[in-house]
Amino acid sequence: MKLNKNWKIKHFDVGSARDLEVASPEYIDYFWMTASVPGDVHSTLIDRKLIEDPFYGHNDLKCQWVEEKVWWYRTTFEFDGIGNKAERYDLIFEGLDTFATVYLNGIELGSTDNMFISHSFEVTRELKKGNNVLAVKFDPIDVHVKEKVQYYWSGFSKERIWTRKNQSHWGWDWGPRLVATGIWKDVHLKKRTYATIESVFAKTTSISTDSAIIEVEVEVDSFRKEKDYQIQVELSFGEELYTGIGEIRGKKAVAIVVVEDPKLWWTHDLGTPHLYRLNVSLYADGQKIDEKQEDFGIRTIEVLRVDEEGNHCFTFVLNGEKVFAKGANWIPIDSFIAAVPDSRYKHLIRLSKDANMNMLRVWGGGIYERDVFYDECNRLGILVWQDFMFSCALYPDYNKNFMANVRNEIIQVVKRLRNHPSLALWCGNNENDWLYEALFSSGEITDPFYGEKIYHELMPEILEELDPTRLFWPSSPFGGNDHNSREQGDTHNWQVWHGNIEPRTFGEPQTVNYSVEGLSFKNFKNDDTAFASEFGMHASSNRYTLERNIPKDQFFWGSEEMAYRNKDIHHPKGILLMEGYTGVPKDLEEYIAYSMLTQAEGLKFGIEHYRRNKPKTSGALFWQLNDCWPGTSWSVIDYYLLPKASYHYAKKFYHPILLTIDHDPGADLKIWIVNDRLEGYEDEIELAIYDFHGKKAFSKRWNFFVEANIAYQLDAVPEEKALGGLKQEEAVIILRSLNSKTHENTYYFRDQKDVMLPDAELTVEFSREDSEITLSTATLARMVTIEMDIEQLVLEDNFFDLQPNVTKGIKVSQAEGKEIPWETLRVKAINSVKTKITEV
């Protein structure tokens, strides 16, 4: 049974209370405040208005005291008693954050020191018939790490390297320091009769056209050895049912299930993510005593490291088909993860699918995600690149206790996640190998590579035993002469934004070019990586998000509160990027628009290049998908799940069929077709050049057929010919499918700051009944932006260029079904001078 109800919390100063006294059933907690479980202390205090919203202004600094206190949780529950001697009871905490001590009826059961794993206590003798008191004490992190070495290299904080919890709780370059604590996952009391199913590992061993062989390995934990144990496995899909039987040998049993005419699990862009229902039952002397159920996808996954010509590559292969990975990096969904409802996860992952993403990377400085994340990726057909939680630091792999903790963590995490069909790769850490070598070569680090034993000895040893079905990749980036080299493996392109000068080789210091040219997104075009697993640039959050969290007297460009939204300490980078493309903003409105447009056009520029470079390049995962608080960052969807311009661009540049132009000023317009589908693509397309009033100056059409799963240059058109007499700064390029088989693509001959846009007047009509907005303009409107004052607003399209004399309809909804606040509708474009809004 779940024990999530009737919890109360209270804080104490360190050393001010006797633990056994507070844990005692006789202790009076009548005036303690109630708390949600799963949950955390900060969220409880916010709900009770005992701390101000940490996301507003500088309020996060006001609640730093929370992490300095001892926090106690207490609850009571009724227990009917033990029926017979064949029963045992386990108290299971799926997640305790982090240094906790657990008491049942005043008896200390044990302590925990890892947020990422579950903790189980056998409590058969400690349970009482009737009322039981459960108490959990959470120590401040500092109590456990203040005497530990804290001078090793560790980005953003020093104490985190000793603490197995969300590393970004101490702050990162996109989020504030808010060191949460509490019971962050479910609590259970579980009855065992004779034995229990400890773990299940189901894997596809072979697939043919008419059958698939599934091997199911079951680990059993028994406390009555004299029983005859047996497992039964059922795999069902609709009315279809396939079974297998396994006998226990020691602690394990293996059952083989043969599935006829298997329905394979595919990413959503290549097919259907079919899911079977896996049911594993455990029997003792013919009596069913335990079972586990979960979804299962029949599929094979591998990463090709050398191609057919013997060249280095890094290509995911799903069911024998090469996949171009298109997606983003996922950070923790909130600073207070436990308080987030499943619906928020589901909406964010649905947004990812709707943007044609087929892979998300769970970044290694956050958490191993909640079950809902993997379940939704399974259901929607999105692959998962899974980092282990080690990032941008040296970790004390010389310490026996720490290593034992990490070993337990890796074993638990692998067993928990390995059955998900979406899980495509295990990765040892984020940037530790690359940054250590670069900073050691620069003289900034003089210590040994602490943590190396974790990623290069411990993890591969465990994974070889527990999950040999997936590639283990020691780090990201990794491979080549410089772990971030373009020669092999995956790379993080931080030439754009950070100005890193690439390539470098082992032993050379990392240098930077901190200039408009050095940071420019045009540098993406020089990158011929096999797989780009991180790259990106900042953009403002939406205006609504900023207004909710910045005091009115500070709501202007250049204010201290605006700067506080940006946790990357090198604020000029964003200015340099905008200076190169849009020009430097003069006020807040221009900053929001210019930063969004620069990010969107920059990601489009880079990702279209990577996709044209297929098959040499076989993946592009930009940094980052989401935000954990309402700040300014690399995200394409802000904290209130309001997409930025780049999200709507992603729907187009990640579409399986991409019509794209490779063009440098003064050079030919090279017309490319990228087809990621597993079947050929036949179409008629048009390249059309217009002035800003809708007059066509040039047009060329092609009929063609492109083979499956390739990038193909169709033609090249000289710039002067394409302009048709227009000036470069007064023309727009449209590449479109005449059969509407994919999105049309829009380009300009010059950067935004050099384009001579006319003033535009927008005509807008909206219908409450139809939940639709209709827009038109007599002159080109650049980056039409639709805003309303509500979170999780879903717009069919936004931040688009509206061509003259074209009427565009946009469907509108709200993810939670809330009423649309039409009275707050605002529509503008970068070059709009007037907007007429009418209700119809």
Short mmCIF file of all heavy atoms in Angstrom, two decimals, residues 697-732:
data_model
loop_
_atom_site.label_atom_id
_atom_site.label_comp_id
_atom_site.label_asym_id
_atom_site.label_seq_id
_atom_site.Cartn_x
_atom_site.Cartn_y
_atom_site.Cartn_z
N ALA A 697 9.99 38.01 -58.52
CA ALA A 697 11.08 38.42 -59.40
C ALA A 697 11.75 37.25 -60.11
O ALA A 697 12.41 37.42 -61.14
CB ALA A 697 12.13 39.19 -58.60
N PHE A 698 11.61 36.03 -59.54
CA PHE A 698 12.26 34.86 -60.13
C PHE A 698 11.53 33.61 -59.67
O PHE A 698 11.01 33.56 -58.54
CB PHE A 698 13.73 34.79 -59.69
CG PHE A 698 14.44 33.53 -60.14
CD1 PHE A 698 14.99 33.44 -61.41
CD2 PHE A 698 14.53 32.43 -59.30
CE1 PHE A 698 15.62 32.26 -61.83
CE2 PHE A 698 15.17 31.26 -59.71
CZ PHE A 698 15.72 31.19 -60.98
N SER A 699 11.49 32.61 -60.54
CA SER A 699 10.91 31.33 -60.17
C SER A 699 11.56 30.22 -60.97
O SER A 699 11.86 30.38 -62.15
CB SER A 699 9.39 31.34 -60.42
OG SER A 699 8.84 30.05 -60.19
N LYS A 700 11.80 29.10 -60.30
CA LYS A 700 12.27 27.90 -60.99
C LYS A 700 11.65 26.69 -60.30
O LYS A 700 11.54 26.66 -59.07
CB LYS A 700 13.80 27.81 -60.96
CG LYS A 700 14.33 26.64 -61.79
CD LYS A 700 15.84 26.67 -61.91
CE LYS A 700 16.31 25.50 -62.79
NZ LYS A 700 17.79 25.51 -62.97
N ARG A 701 11.25 25.71 -61.14
CA ARG A 701 10.59 24.52 -60.60
C ARG A 701 11.37 23.27 -60.99
O ARG A 701 12.02 23.23 -62.02
CB ARG A 701 9.15 24.43 -61.10
CG ARG A 701 8.28 25.60 -60.65
CD ARG A 701 6.83 25.41 -61.06
NE ARG A 701 5.99 26.51 -60.57
CZ ARG A 701 4.67 26.52 -60.60
NH1 ARG A 701 4.01 25.47 -61.12
NH2 ARG A 701 3.99 27.54 -60.13
N TRP A 702 11.24 22.24 -60.11
CA TRP A 702 11.88 20.96 -60.37
C TRP A 702 10.89 19.83 -60.06
O TRP A 702 10.21 19.86 -59.03
CB TRP A 702 13.11 20.74 -59.48
CG TRP A 702 14.24 21.68 -59.70
CD1 TRP A 702 15.32 21.51 -60.50
CD2 TRP A 702 14.43 22.96 -59.06
NE1 TRP A 702 16.19 22.59 -60.41
CE2 TRP A 702 15.65 23.50 -59.53
CE3 TRP A 702 13.67 23.71 -58.14
CZ2 TRP A 702 16.14 24.73 -59.11
CZ3 TRP A 702 14.16 24.93 -57.73
CH2 TRP A 702 15.37 25.43 -58.20
N ASN A 703 10.83 18.84 -60.94
CA ASN A 703 10.19 17.57 -60.64
C ASN A 703 11.30 16.57 -60.34
O ASN A 703 12.29 16.50 -61.09
CB ASN A 703 9.35 17.07 -61.82
CG ASN A 703 8.05 17.82 -61.94
OD1 ASN A 703 7.15 17.64 -61.13
ND2 ASN A 703 7.95 18.69 -62.94
N PHE A 704 11.15 15.78 -59.29
CA PHE A 704 12.26 14.91 -58.92
C PHE A 704 11.77 13.73 -58.10
O PHE A 704 10.65 13.72 -57.57
CB PHE A 704 13.32 15.67 -58.12
CG PHE A 704 12.80 16.21 -56.83
CD1 PHE A 704 12.79 15.43 -55.66
CD2 PHE A 704 12.28 17.49 -56.75
CE1 PHE A 704 12.28 15.91 -54.48
CE2 PHE A 704 11.76 17.98 -55.56
CZ PHE A 704 11.76 17.19 -54.42
N PHE A 705 12.65 12.75 -57.98
CA PHE A 705 12.46 11.62 -57.05
C PHE A 705 13.77 11.45 -56.31
O PHE A 705 14.84 11.38 -56.92
CB PHE A 705 12.11 10.33 -57.81
CG PHE A 705 12.05 9.12 -56.90
CD1 PHE A 705 10.89 8.84 -56.17
CD2 PHE A 705 13.14 8.27 -56.75
CE1 PHE A 705 10.82 7.74 -55.33
CE2 PHE A 705 13.09 7.17 -55.90
CZ PHE A 705 11.92 6.91 -55.20
N VAL A 706 13.69 11.42 -54.98
CA VAL A 706 14.88 11.26 -54.14
C VAL A 706 14.77 9.94 -53.39
O VAL A 706 13.71 9.61 -52.83
CB VAL A 706 15.01 12.43 -53.14
CG1 VAL A 706 16.13 12.16 -52.14
CG2 VAL A 706 15.29 13.73 -53.88
N GLU A 707 15.84 9.18 -53.37
CA GLU A 707 15.85 7.89 -52.68
C GLU A 707 15.61 8.06 -51.18
O GLU A 707 15.74 9.16 -50.63
CB GLU A 707 17.21 7.18 -52.89
CG GLU A 707 17.53 6.86 -54.34
CD GLU A 707 16.67 5.74 -54.90
OE1 GLU A 707 16.09 4.97 -54.08
OE2 GLU A 707 16.55 5.63 -56.12
N ALA A 708 15.29 6.96 -50.53
CA ALA A 708 15.05 6.98 -49.08
C ALA A 708 16.33 7.28 -48.31
O ALA A 708 17.43 6.90 -48.72
CB ALA A 708 14.48 5.63 -48.64
N ASN A 709 16.16 8.03 -47.22
CA ASN A 709 17.20 8.18 -46.19
C ASN A 709 18.50 8.77 -46.72
O ASN A 709 19.59 8.28 -46.42
CB ASN A 709 17.46 6.82 -45.53
CG ASN A 709 17.76 6.96 -44.04
OD1 ASN A 709 17.77 8.05 -43.48
ND2 ASN A 709 18.02 5.83 -43.39
N ILE A 710 18.42 9.85 -47.51
CA ILE A 710 19.62 10.49 -48.03
C ILE A 710 19.45 12.01 -48.04
O ILE A 710 18.34 12.53 -47.94
CB ILE A 710 19.99 10.03 -49.46
CG1 ILE A 710 18.91 10.48 -50.48
CG2 ILE A 710 20.23 8.54 -49.54
CD1 ILE A 710 19.35 10.34 -51.92
N ALA A 711 20.58 12.71 -48.16
CA ALA A 711 20.60 14.14 -48.46
C ALA A 711 21.14 14.30 -49.88
O ALA A 711 22.13 13.67 -50.25
CB ALA A 711 21.48 14.88 -47.46
N TYR A 712 20.49 15.16 -50.66
CA TYR A 712 20.80 15.22 -52.09
C TYR A 712 20.77 16.67 -52.56
O TYR A 712 19.78 17.39 -52.33
CB TYR A 712 19.78 14.39 -52.87
CG TYR A 712 19.88 14.50 -54.37
CD1 TYR A 712 20.93 13.91 -55.06
CD2 TYR A 712 18.90 15.18 -55.10
CE1 TYR A 712 21.01 14.01 -56.44
CE2 TYR A 712 18.97 15.28 -56.47
CZ TYR A 712 20.03 14.69 -57.14
OH TYR A 712 20.10 14.78 -58.50
N GLN A 713 21.86 17.12 -53.21
CA GLN A 713 21.85 18.46 -53.80
C GLN A 713 21.18 18.38 -55.16
O GLN A 713 21.64 17.70 -56.07
CB GLN A 713 23.25 19.03 -53.96
CG GLN A 713 23.22 20.46 -54.50
CD GLN A 713 24.58 21.11 -54.64
OE1 GLN A 713 25.54 20.71 -53.96
NE2 GLN A 713 24.69 22.12 -55.49
N LEU A 714 20.09 19.10 -55.30
CA LEU A 714 19.26 19.03 -56.50
C LEU A 714 19.78 19.93 -57.62
O LEU A 714 19.80 19.55 -58.79
CB LEU A 714 17.83 19.43 -56.15
CG LEU A 714 16.77 19.39 -57.25
CD1 LEU A 714 16.55 17.96 -57.72
CD2 LEU A 714 15.46 19.99 -56.74
N ASP A 715 20.22 21.14 -57.25
CA ASP A 715 20.62 22.10 -58.27
C ASP A 715 21.34 23.26 -57.59
O ASP A 715 21.44 23.30 -56.36
CB ASP A 715 19.38 22.61 -59.02
CG ASP A 715 19.69 23.15 -60.42
OD1 ASP A 715 20.89 23.30 -60.74
OD2 ASP A 715 18.74 23.42 -61.19
N ALA A 716 21.83 24.19 -58.40
CA ALA A 716 22.42 25.43 -57.91
C ALA A 716 21.98 26.56 -58.81
O ALA A 716 22.00 26.44 -60.04
CB ALA A 716 23.94 25.32 -57.86
N VAL A 717 21.59 27.68 -58.22
CA VAL A 717 21.12 28.84 -58.97
C VAL A 717 22.00 30.03 -58.60
O VAL A 717 22.15 30.35 -57.42
CB VAL A 717 19.64 29.15 -58.63
CG1 VAL A 717 19.18 30.39 -59.37
CG2 VAL A 717 18.76 27.96 -58.94
N PRO A 718 22.61 30.70 -59.60
CA PRO A 718 23.44 31.87 -59.29
C PRO A 718 22.64 32.95 -58.57
O PRO A 718 21.46 33.18 -58.90
CB PRO A 718 23.90 32.35 -60.68
CG PRO A 718 23.79 31.14 -61.56
CD PRO A 718 22.61 30.38 -61.04
N GLU A 719 23.26 33.59 -57.60
CA GLU A 719 22.56 34.61 -56.81
C GLU A 719 22.02 35.73 -57.69
O GLU A 719 20.86 36.14 -57.55
CB GLU A 719 23.50 35.19 -55.75
CG GLU A 719 22.82 36.24 -54.87
CD GLU A 719 23.75 36.87 -53.86
OE1 GLU A 719 23.87 36.32 -52.76
OE2 GLU A 719 24.35 37.92 -54.19
N GLU A 720 22.83 36.22 -58.63
CA GLU A 720 22.40 37.33 -59.46
C GLU A 720 21.17 36.97 -60.30
O GLU A 720 20.24 37.75 -60.44
CB GLU A 720 23.55 37.77 -60.38
CG GLU A 720 23.23 39.01 -61.18
CD GLU A 720 24.42 39.50 -62.02
OE1 GLU A 720 25.51 38.89 -61.90
OE2 GLU A 720 24.25 40.46 -62.77
N LYS A 721 21.17 35.75 -60.83
CA LYS A 721 20.02 35.29 -61.61
C LYS A 721 18.78 35.18 -60.73
O LYS A 721 17.68 35.59 -61.12
CB LYS A 721 20.34 33.94 -62.25
CG LYS A 721 19.21 33.38 -63.11
CD LYS A 721 19.62 32.05 -63.73
CE LYS A 721 18.49 31.47 -64.57
NZ LYS A 721 18.86 30.15 -65.15
N ALA A 722 18.95 34.63 -59.51
CA ALA A 722 17.82 34.46 -58.61
C ALA A 722 17.22 35.80 -58.19
O ALA A 722 16.00 35.92 -58.01
CB ALA A 722 18.24 33.67 -57.38
N LEU A 723 18.04 36.82 -58.04
CA LEU A 723 17.55 38.12 -57.60
C LEU A 723 16.63 38.78 -58.63
O LEU A 723 15.75 39.57 -58.26
CB LEU A 723 18.72 39.06 -57.28
CG LEU A 723 19.39 38.82 -55.92
CD1 LEU A 723 20.75 39.48 -55.86
CD2 LEU A 723 18.48 39.33 -54.81
N GLY A 724 16.80 38.44 -59.89
CA GLY A 724 15.90 38.97 -60.92
C GLY A 724 15.83 40.48 -60.94
O GLY A 724 14.77 41.05 -61.18
N GLY A 725 16.96 41.13 -60.65
CA GLY A 725 17.00 42.58 -60.67
C GLY A 725 16.76 43.23 -59.32
O GLY A 725 16.93 44.44 -59.18
N LEU A 726 16.36 42.48 -58.32
CA LEU A 726 16.16 43.04 -56.99
C LEU A 726 17.50 43.23 -56.27
O LEU A 726 18.49 42.56 -56.58
CB LEU A 726 15.27 42.12 -56.15
CG LEU A 726 13.83 41.91 -56.61
CD1 LEU A 726 13.14 40.92 -55.68
CD2 LEU A 726 13.06 43.23 -56.65
N LYS A 727 17.51 44.11 -55.29
CA LYS A 727 18.67 44.25 -54.43
C LYS A 727 18.66 43.14 -53.37
O LYS A 727 17.58 42.70 -52.95
CB LYS A 727 18.68 45.61 -53.74
CG LYS A 727 18.82 46.78 -54.70
CD LYS A 727 18.80 48.10 -53.93
CE LYS A 727 18.95 49.28 -54.87
NZ LYS A 727 18.92 50.59 -54.14
N GLN A 728 19.85 42.71 -52.92
CA GLN A 728 19.92 41.62 -51.93
C GLN A 728 19.14 41.94 -50.66
O GLN A 728 18.52 41.07 -50.05
CB GLN A 728 21.38 41.32 -51.56
CG GLN A 728 22.23 40.79 -52.70
CD GLN A 728 23.04 41.89 -53.35
OE1 GLN A 728 22.62 43.05 -53.39
NE2 GLN A 728 24.20 41.53 -53.89
N GLU A 729 19.17 43.20 -50.25
CA GLU A 729 18.53 43.57 -48.99
C GLU A 729 17.03 43.81 -49.13
O GLU A 729 16.35 44.15 -48.15
CB GLU A 729 19.20 44.82 -48.41
CG GLU A 729 19.07 46.08 -49.25
CD GLU A 729 20.21 46.23 -50.26
OE1 GLU A 729 20.88 45.22 -50.57
OE2 GLU A 729 20.43 47.36 -50.72
N GLU A 730 16.48 43.61 -50.34
CA GLU A 730 15.06 43.88 -50.58
C GLU A 730 14.33 42.67 -51.16
O GLU A 730 13.32 42.83 -51.84
CB GLU A 730 14.90 45.09 -51.51
CG GLU A 730 15.44 46.39 -50.89
CD GLU A 730 15.32 47.58 -51.82
OE1 GLU A 730 15.00 47.36 -53.03
OE2 GLU A 730 15.53 48.71 -51.37
N ALA A 731 14.87 41.46 -50.89
CA ALA A 731 14.28 40.26 -51.48
C ALA A 731 14.14 39.16 -50.43
O ALA A 731 14.93 39.07 -49.48
CB ALA A 731 15.16 39.78 -52.63
N VAL A 732 13.13 38.33 -50.63
CA VAL A 732 12.90 37.17 -49.77
C VAL A 732 12.86 35.93 -50.64
O VAL A 732 12.37 35.97 -51.78
CB VAL A 732 11.60 37.32 -48.95
CG1 VAL A 732 10.38 37.48 -49.86
CG2 VAL A 732 11.40 36.15 -48.01
#
